[in-house]
Amino acid sequence: MTDDTRRPATFPHTGLTRRSALKAAAALAVTGATTRLAAPALAQAARPVKLTLPWLANGSTLFAYVAKNQGFFKKRGIDITISRGFGSVAAAQAVGAGEFDFGFIFAGGTILGAARGLPLVAVSTLGYDATMGIALRGDSPIKTAKDLQGKKIGTVPTSAESPYWPAFARKAGIDTGAVTMVQMDNRVLEQSLVNKQVDAITAIGTSSIPVIMAMKEPCRFMLWSTAGITLYAGQVVTRQDVFAKDKELCRAVNDALTEGLAYALKDPEAGVDIFLKEIPEMGITAGGKENARISQGLMHYTVISKEAETQSIGYTDMTKASEMVDMVMEFGAPKDAKKPLVSELFTNELVGSVKFSPEEWAKVKKNVAEYAAILG
């Protein structure tokens, strides 16, 4: 038996003595302890942020889920929670009341909320046409706005577009006294058109067209924006105090959403696949995937605009914004509402630099050609 009390032992294959090993272990323990103590200070937890959509999750808002799935929020230190909405007006109220940090909201809802005293600010625009208009069957003899005279038009009084029918009629020279407006429940609106109970319906194209197409009915759409009746489709909205105190958070959320939209614009098929992974119940419902594909395509059509092509995706045209405020105040706001200041309600301060090349825009336009044909 070897007497190991008189000479240092070595560890096989290392040449390291026990005394050296103990010293090294002690040093490692100190270093490890220091590292463990320092770790909480070095690693920052992701900041929880709540975002509301204007309505149920669908293809028109799938880019938010793309941004979440692809880590665009995470890399900016944000732990995002995305929730369904119950209409743009309700979404604006929820953001204004502090129930959500941010919302993706139709401009009409944001303007109306601000007119009612909500402290809101839209930090970017990600859809440039709310697609308010008139939906028609594919075989309808109605070709022009004035052809609506003498016809029956279905409408949901509480819908986003219904208040602006008189604005369109005035611009288009329609005698509203010669039109029969039929008030309907939103659950039967599109079906009433397909079943020929009415000649046309007022609608939001991104919502109604996928429903009509799911019924295997060819359809056409008369956009009110062609007559100058325009509301932006969707804006990233927060409260004025959040914008004033935490611009970097606002920038991070906006940049993540814009990056998600750019990703989906460039690869819409991947966008749908990601959306169905994030919202799996959509994939198992009848026509769920097709609805997502169509509503995404329609939304992408609304991104194609002078603002996005000549400035950057997210840019807001302040002249148009002012015209939208005037229209909402005349047709959509209660009499006691106070007109909000455009300079306080909209900003381009945080708009990023996401720009597409002419070739990339050409590809987007090719991808949405079938929807452009429907929307005219």
Side-chain angles (χ1 to χ4, degrees):
M1 184 173 69
T2 305
D3 184 359
D4 59 356
T5 62
R6 289 188 295 257
R7 61 185 179 90
T10 59
F11 289 86
H13 313 298
T14 66
L16 181 66
T17 68
R18 179 173 295 169
R19 186 176 293 113
S20 299
L22 290 173
K23 288 182 179 180
L28 183 60
V30 172
T31 304
T34 304
T35 302
R36 286 193 296 274
L37 288 170
L42 294 175
Q44 293 183 340
R47 180 170 178 177
V49 170
K50 295 189 293 183
L51 170 77
T52 180
L53 303 177
W55 194 242
L56 292 168
N58 62 26
S60 66
T61 52
L62 71 74
F63 66 91
Y65 294 94
V66 169
K68 180 180 180 180
N69 178 275
Q70 294 297 297
F72 300 155
F73 288 106
K74 185 177 181 181
K75 74 180 182 181
R76 294 176 170 90
I78 295 170
D79 178 14
I80 193 73
T81 298
I82 305 171
S83 300
R84 63 154 293 178
F86 295 87
S88 281
V89 172
Q93 291 172 340
V95 172
E99 296 173 29
F100 291 91
D101 306 297
F102 294 86
F104 181 67
I105 306 173
F106 278 17
T110 302
I111 296 168
L112 186 57
R116 289 173 170 169
L118 295 177
L120 302 172
V121 57
V123 300
S124 73
T125 299
L126 299 183
Y128 294 88
D129 191 331
T131 65
M132 298 188 298
I134 299 290
L136 304 160
R137 294 185 300 274
D139 61 358
S140 173
I142 298 170
K143 304 298 182 183
T144 68
K146 288 195 174 183
D147 291 340
L148 292 167
Q149 294 178 171
K151 301 296 191 294
K152 288 198 299 184
I153 302 176
T155 190
V156 178
T158 56
S159 64
E161 84 288 343
S162 188
Y164 305 104
W165 155 251
F168 170 69
R170 185 172 70 187
K171 279 273 192 178
I174 299 169
D175 178 5
T176 55
V179 177
T180 301
M181 301 301 292
V182 182
Q183 295 189 6
M184 294 186 161
D185 186 281
N186 68 324
R187 291 170 292 185
V188 299
L189 182 68
E190 293 85 8
Q191 187 176 352
S192 71
L193 176 66
V194 172
N195 293 341
K196 301 186 177 181
Q197 294 170 284
V198 293
D199 302 296
I201 58 173
T202 71
I204 298 294
T206 51
S207 297
S208 289
I209 290 173
V211 175
I212 296 169
M213 292 180 71
M215 297 179 188
K216 308 301 181 184
E217 176 69 31
C219 65
R220 290 185 288 111
F221 204 82
M222 191 180 294
L223 279 172
W224 292 350
S225 58
T226 59
I229 305 303
T230 303
L231 285 173
Y232 280 152
Q235 297 182 299
V236 182
V237 177
T238 189
R239 293 184 305 283
Q240 290 180 359
D241 64 314
V242 176
F243 178 71
K245 295 176 182 177
D246 205 339
K247 283 197 173 97
E248 288 313 306
L249 174 64
C250 296
R251 189 188 307 278
V253 170
N254 185 59
D255 286 351
L257 288 169
T258 306
E259 189 173 2
L261 177 57
Y263 182 105
L265 283 166
K266 292 178 179 180
D267 195 342
E269 290 185 9
V272 171
D273 289 341
I274 290 169
F275 176 63
L276 297 180
K277 289 178 182 177
E278 290 290 318
I279 311 292
E281 57 268 28
M282 286 293 295
I284 61 175
T285 58
K289 182 175 183 178
E290 183 66 2
N291 184 292
R293 184 186 72 83
I294 294 170
S295 53
Q296 176 186 236
L298 291 164
M299 189 274 176
H300 285 181
Y301 173 87
T302 76
V303 182
I304 302 169
S305 62
K306 182 179 179 180
E307 293 94 316
E309 291 191 63
T310 62
Q311 297 290 334
S312 63
I313 296 176
Y315 184 84
T316 298
D317 184 316
M318 294 303 166
T319 300
K320 286 186 179 180
S322 181
E323 293 170 352
M324 292 175 204
V325 169
D326 288 342
M327 185 174 72
V328 171
M329 293 306 297
E330 181 177 359
F331 295 98
K335 298 300 182 183
D336 60 347
K338 182 179 179 181
K339 183 178 178 180
L341 294 175
V342 172
S343 59
E344 294 180 357
L345 186 55
F346 305 95
T347 180
N348 283 315
E349 184 178 346
L350 304 184
V351 172
S353 58
V354 177
K355 297 183 179 182
F356 281 8
S357 67
E359 293 75 21
E360 288 172 325
W361 279 120
K363 185 177 179 181
V364 172
K365 292 172 183 178
K366 181 179 179 181
N367 288 338
V368 303
E370 64 177 297
Y371 311 111
I374 295 171
L375 291 166

